Amino acid sequence: MTLEEKVSILSGEDFWSVPAVARLGIGKLRVTDGPNGARGGGSLIGGVKSASFPVGIAIGATWNVALVEEIGAALADEVKSKGAHMLLAPTVNIHRSVTNGRNFECYSEDPFLSAELAVGYIKGLQGQGIGATIKHFVGNESEIERTTMSSEIDERSLREIYLIPFEWAVKKAGTWGVMSSYNRLNGTFTSEHNWLLTTVLRNEWGYDGIVMSDWFGSHSTAETINAGLDLEMPGPARDRGQKLIDAVNAGAVSAETLDKRVTAMLRLMERVGSLDDHRPHQEQANDRPEHRALIRRAGAEAAVLLKNNGALPLKPESRVAVIGPNAKRAQIMGGGSAQLNAHYRVSPWEGLVAQLGEDQLSYAVGCGNDRFEPLLRGTMTVEYFANEKLAGEPVHIGTQEDAQAFWIGHVADGKVDPLHFSARVRATYTPEKSGTHRVGIYSAGFAKVFVDGKLVADAWTSWTKGRTFFEEGCDEVVGTADLEAGRTYDVTIEFATKHFATLGLAAFACGIGLPFGDADIAEAVRTARNADVAVVFIGRNGEWDTEGSDLPGIELPGRQNELVAAVAQANPNTVVVLQTGGPVEMPWINSVRVVVQTWYPGQEAGNAIADVLTGSAEPGGRLPQTFPVRWSDNPAHSQDREVYPGLEGKVRYEEGIFVGYRHYDRLGMTPLYPFGFGLGYTTFSVSDLTVDDRGFEADGNVTATVTVTNTGARAGSTVVQLYVSDTESSSPRPAKELKAFAKVALEAGESRQVTLTLDARSFAFFRTEAKHWLVESGDFTLRIGQSSADLPLTATIKRSTILMLPV
């Protein structure tokens, strides 16, 4: 290869591909966003339809490695249908804070659970020849100023908590791709962090795949190449191309280093089959029955039954009041780069109608839970201008189906510069009710909204950076308009691009809505009072749980707490169905009969939820994240802003290794619901613990065997969990740490022996000064049960010598 050819494959050609090298017959490598589906090369909005799978935290709640491997294999089919070779997934950052906007996309607060699930996902994906790209390496546990923030994390915490999923992905799953995070790590961008990308990843772990930047997440030429970043994305090249050629010629990058990066890229291309893939790029929407069935099954297995005083499963003859903002809206995914255009969306209302019949159901919305005004929908005309002043004649006219756009890479059939254009959107709106409506607009760019020619919302004149569109957009600007029911109004949205901070995109969203009020809650109360059971569907949506924006807290948005309290007072058989990307405060917990957390379970959401509510499927989930009583109980909550959300460019991981349940144990604090907790429609016991520690002294290996019995009247599943405690350590350690688990499904009355295996790392902590893992002499306690707070079986084992393990 010539120098120019080598350099060409070290940066993207466009947003989703690496260029071919025609002279040598090297094909084009294509990637696509995941992790809960394969979107293909389209925008975050619209595009070719794809299967929408459960989000990461829902996968985490299954605690089922075999199921996750099935999902990985199915996602490989989806990637192939989009003509791509790699999926930008899985996301394995740790749930450090309950307010991280991207927790929905990640598996757990616990590194071991995250790591085991990631291994299953990667094996399923790569077993079908599709490359995994585990992300974001490392320290991206918040979305606040994430493209510039420095995560200040000590090495022991990195090794014991944040690096574990990546280490397992390399050593146990053989991942072919790693994506660097946007943030700095201890002052240095991860995309040019030599210790992270070379010392740890390649030299210590033996990684031979590629490291790619997150989109626009690399900031230098020689520094990134020399540190170990193989691929700059997206294209066209910004800090590579001619700049890299010049750096090689000047000696800033050696020929040997360049060849290492090129070899890694060629090895990847060979693994995923792109090296000799010269087929025309095509994207298909393959709505497969087997994927539908898998998504539905996984959605039910992810549901966590937190409380059940006999109201579930619903009795077939029950009259059911279906209430709440998430009842008739299918909340199937979070926001950000995980978004895709799903084949379809099944709402809980539709799922219950299919199973119970509409005659048994009544409905009231009660209140809203939107972060922004409800999106304006309907066919709209879009005029594009090849300037930023809406001047002259439009160079292209298109249509869209709602008042939102996410323009990136290729706009208006290529007739405008995607970073320098303007657009005018023309729509109509016919309100159902008369009243003072709220008109909202937020944009990555300048935008205005006119209703019948009158300026109503202005995000142009005084545009200010906010927390939308990956922190490239402003916060929503809201105006009001008095509108009459049944009358049609002209709505015009004017948009122009502006200079971007990090991500080169243009976007807007516009909504119009009539605020909910007391009358809506009163109607919900009447509906509940006239039913046998009231099922309240509440929570958040992808506007709240989204990449690019953390949550302000974990209170339910809007008047949802008030709605639940009012409904529970009206009907003693109140069931609460939560859909969120993490925990919420539950001030009404003692007033309701049932709480079930169903996350964002993908396109089959309503069917999966209805399966759980009616009992046709078991709620098989267990919490992958501790649910605190209040946000202030969380380990990242602090009066010191540098601890969270960050101050002057730094966020300090002050809690160290005491993340999640480790924190609550340390303080002796009882959470609302503990890590690993979940009920079912049957009961289980674990008994007869036996431990084989004959190899413990020699190599650190131990096995623990228990008998699991379904003591209830129907089939079901549980998760047997094993935690290790170091009775006396020379260094501070958590009271216990998850080190093994097994998902077990049994028929009523059935028993089975389950063996859990521990290796030396299960007992070790990291010694920063000595740069090794250490198993100390002394006693270790094994604790086994069905949640971090329910561990009835214990056994103590002893070492008489220390054991040092390499990194």
Side-chain angles (χ1 to χ4, degrees):
M1 300 178 75
T2 66
L3 175 59
E4 289 74 15
E5 288 168 341
K6 291 177 182 180
V7 167
S8 73
I9 64 169
L10 299 183
S11 58
E13 178 179 59
D14 52 33
F15 248 77
W16 306 112
S17 70
V18 175
V21 182
R23 184 180 71 87
L24 299 176
I26 296 173
K28 184 176 294 189
L29 173 73
R30 293 186 176 89
V31 304
T32 177
D33 255 326
N36 51 285
R39 186 175 62 246
S43 168
L44 302 190
I45 299 167
V48 178
K49 290 190 174 182
S50 305
S52 173
F53 286 77
V55 300
I57 197 170
I59 288 176
T62 70
W63 291 63
N64 189 335
V65 176
L67 174 64
V68 178
E69 190 165 342
E70 276 189 78
I71 290 172
L75 285 167
D77 293 334
E78 286 293 301
V79 174
K80 292 173 184 177
S81 77
K82 300 303 183 286
H85 308 96
M86 292 192 79
L87 186 66
L88 305 180
T91 309
V92 295
N93 297 103
I94 299 298
H95 297 163
R96 175 187 179 236
S97 165
V98 291
T99 54
N100 179 20
R102 213 167 181 176
N103 277 349
F104 77 90
E105 198 176 316
C106 311
Y107 294 141
S108 176
E109 70 184 27
D110 183 77
F112 181 81
L113 176 58
S114 297
E116 291 291 287
L117 296 173
V119 168
Y121 187 105
I122 292 166
K123 285 183 174 179
L125 195 64
Q126 294 188 170
Q128 303 301 314
I130 296 298
T133 316
I134 194 166
K135 60 186 186 182
H136 306 88
F137 192 56
V138 64
N140 181 192
E141 275 72 41
S142 171
E143 292 299 287
I144 296 173
E145 298 178 16
R146 62 177 180 153
T147 60
T148 56
M149 189 72 76
S150 177
S151 297
E152 304 291 303
I153 314 173
D154 67 274
E155 186 176 354
R156 183 182 175 194
S157 299
L158 278 168
R159 298 279 191 174
E160 294 189 22
I161 304 292
Y162 299 99
L163 289 175
I164 293 291
F166 298 96
E167 183 181 2
W168 264 224
V170 171
K171 293 181 176 179
K172 296 186 177 184
T175 186
W176 297 341
V178 171
M179 180 186 289
S180 62
S181 52
Y182 282 121
N183 54 278
R184 293 177 169 94
L185 175 65
N186 298 323
T188 302
F189 279 114
T190 62
S191 58
E192 52 193 57
H193 205 296
N194 186 75
W195 177 83
L196 185 66
L197 303 186
T198 295
T199 302
V200 174
L201 183 62
R202 289 189 170 87
N203 296 346
E204 295 178 358
W205 297 350
Y207 180 59
D208 69 353
I210 71 148
V211 181
M212 72 171 70
S213 73
D214 205 336
W215 267 227
F216 301 99
S218 59
H219 307 277
S220 60
T221 303
E223 293 87 343
T224 59
I225 285 282
N226 291 333
L229 186 78
D230 301 291
L231 178 62
E232 174 198 68
M233 288 298 287
R238 299 176 311 283
D239 295 309
R240 303 226 167 153
Q242 188 59 49
K243 290 181 181 179
L244 180 52
I245 293 170
D246 294 343
V248 173
N249 289 333
V253 173
S254 70
E256 180 185 11
T257 298
L258 183 75
D259 285 352
K260 285 181 181 178
R261 305 290 164 257
V262 174
T263 300
M265 288 297 299
L266 294 173
R267 185 186 297 120
L268 170 69
M269 292 174 176
E270 183 177 38
R271 285 170 167 168
V272 301
S274 71
L275 200 61
D276 54 1
D277 184 357
H278 303 290
R279 295 170 296 175
H281 181 224
Q282 292 183 331
E283 297 194 6
Q284 298 176 328
N286 293 339
D287 184 7
R288 301 182 182 219
E290 63 271 27
H291 289 178
R292 289 185 170 212
L294 174 60
I295 293 166
R296 183 169 181 167
R297 173 162 55 93
E301 189 162 345
V304 184
L305 186 59
L306 296 173
K307 180 179 181 179
N308 187 18
N309 287 346
L312 289 187
L314 296 173
K315 296 177 176 61
E317 68 278 4
S318 294
R319 293 171 299 132
V320 181
V322 180
I323 294 168
N326 285 353
K328 285 193 173 182
R329 296 170 66 181
Q331 305 294 0
I332 69 172
M333 67 181 87
S337 60
Q339 290 176 202
L340 50 78
N341 188 15
H343 291 302
Y344 55 88
R345 297 168 175 249
V346 181
S347 70
W349 170 265
E350 291 166 326
L352 288 171
V353 166
Q355 296 201 32
L356 299 178
E358 193 165 358
D359 291 346
Q360 287 181 234
L361 307 178
S362 54
Y363 168 74
V365 64
C367 68
N369 65 356
D370 289 320
R371 177 180 172 189
F372 307 116
E373 294 306 313
L375 190 65
L376 176 61
R377 300 184 185 277
T379 302
M380 304 171 189
T381 301
V382 188
E383 300 171 338
Y384 293 90
F385 300 85
N387 56 71
E388 292 160 302
K389 298 180 180 179
L390 299 156
E393 293 297 315
V395 297
H396 180 74
I397 298 177
T399 60
Q400 56 190 55
E401 296 304 311
D402 49 38
Q404 62 177 341
F406 192 92
W407 292 298
I408 195 163
H410 187 78
V411 180
D413 287 346
K415 295 177 181 176
V416 300
D417 180 336
L419 300 178
H420 300 282
F421 73 94
S422 54
R424 181 179 288 114
V425 181
R426 300 185 187 275
T428 60
Y429 177 68
T430 306
E432 295 179 3
K433 297 180 180 179
S434 298
T436 302
H437 286 64
R438 289 165 56 88
V439 181
I441 183 77
Y442 56 98
S443 58
F446 302 115
K448 294 178 180 179
V449 186
F450 301 83
V451 176
D452 273 2
K454 179 183 177 182
L455 178 62
V456 175
D458 185 354
W460 189 310
T461 307
S462 300
W463 189 97
T464 303
K465 183 179 178 181
R467 298 182 302 125
T468 63
F469 296 122
F470 311 103
E471 295 188 308
E472 292 288 347
C474 62
D475 291 332
E476 187 179 36
V477 176
V478 178
T480 60
D482 292 327
L483 307 179
E484 297 177 11
R487 177 182 164 188
T488 298
Y489 294 84
D490 292 324
V491 179
T492 302
I493 303 160
E494 294 184 347
F495 176 89
T497 56
K498 63 177 294 296
H499 178 72
F500 61 92
T502 302
L503 308 180
L505 60 90
F508 78 88
C510 174
I512 301 179
L514 188 64
F516 292 97
D518 293 345
D520 298 287
I521 291 181
E523 182 185 357
V525 167
R526 286 192 297 272
T527 304
R529 192 174 286 130
N530 293 326
D532 299 317
V533 182
V535 185
V536 188
F537 293 90
I538 56 172
R540 299 193 293 256
N541 53 42
E543 295 174 349
W544 295 101
D545 289 301
T546 181
E547 179 180 356
S549 177
D550 274 11
L551 296 159
I554 58 170
E555 289 187 6
L556 283 165
R559 300 178 68 179
Q560 292 181 97
N561 283 333
E562 187 179 346
L563 173 66
V564 174
V567 169
Q569 188 173 13
N571 190 322
N573 292 321
T574 293
V575 175
V576 172
V577 179
L578 282 168
Q579 283 198 268
T580 61
V584 296
E585 296 174 9
M586 304 182 197
W588 33 259
I589 188 64
N590 295 323
S591 302
V592 301
R593 294 282 295 277
V594 176
V595 180
V596 57
Q597 169 61 261
T598 62
W599 321 105
Y600 302 123
Q603 65 192 29
E604 285 282 336
N607 287 332
I609 291 169
D611 287 344
V612 168
L613 296 179
T614 61
S616 59
E618 175 82 1
R622 301 296 183 266
L623 288 182
Q625 186 185 77
T626 306
F627 275 34
V629 175
R630 61 192 66 84
W631 157 217
S632 58
D633 293 344
N634 188 250
H637 189 278
S638 176
Q639 297 302 311
D640 184 346
R641 288 184 58 82
E642 191 173 278
V643 173
Y644 183 86
L647 181 67
E648 297 179 353
K650 294 181 180 180
V651 58
R652 189 176 79 252
Y653 287 41
E654 181 73 16
E655 69 285 355
I657 59 173
F658 295 96
V659 179
Y661 63 88
R662 296 163 172 82
H663 163 80
Y664 299 94
D665 286 348
R666 184 189 193 190
L667 298 183
M669 185 183 294
T670 301
L672 184 61
Y673 290 107
F675 175 78
F677 176 80
L679 305 172
Y681 293 148
T682 187
T683 54
F684 289 86
S685 67
V686 290
S687 61
D688 306 323
L689 170 62
T690 60
V691 176
D692 182 352
D693 62 348
R694 289 172 295 178
F696 188 40
E697 190 69 40
D699 55 22
N701 292 334
V702 176
T703 61
T705 301
V706 297
T707 299
V708 185
T709 303
N710 183 340
T711 56
R714 60 174 278 168
S717 65
T718 190
V719 178
V720 181
Q721 303 166 37
L722 189 159
Y723 296 78
V724 172
S725 300
D726 189 347
T727 305
E728 185 176 351
S729 173
S730 64
S731 189
R733 300 194 68 178
K736 60 179 179 289
E737 296 181 273
L738 179 73
K739 295 299 179 181
F741 64 89
K743 189 75 173 275
V744 185
L746 299 174
E747 296 296 322
E750 184 184 1
S751 293
R752 184 182 305 160
Q753 280 196 329
V754 175
T755 298
L756 301 169
T757 302
L758 303 172
D759 61 11
R761 278 281 293 271
S762 304
F763 303 93
F765 67 92
F766 187 77
R767 293 183 72 195
T768 304
E769 300 80 9
K771 302 297 182 187
H772 64 226
W773 293 88
L774 178 66
V775 184
E776 291 190 310
S777 59
D779 293 344
F780 294 85
T781 302
L782 311 186
R783 307 178 189 276
I784 299 179
Q786 297 178 77
S787 83
S788 63
D790 175 23
L791 301 168
L793 304 181
T794 63
T796 300
I797 59 176
K798 186 178 182 66
R799 281 189 64 88
S800 59
T801 61
I802 65 169
L803 180 62
M804 291 181 289
L805 306 170
V807 289

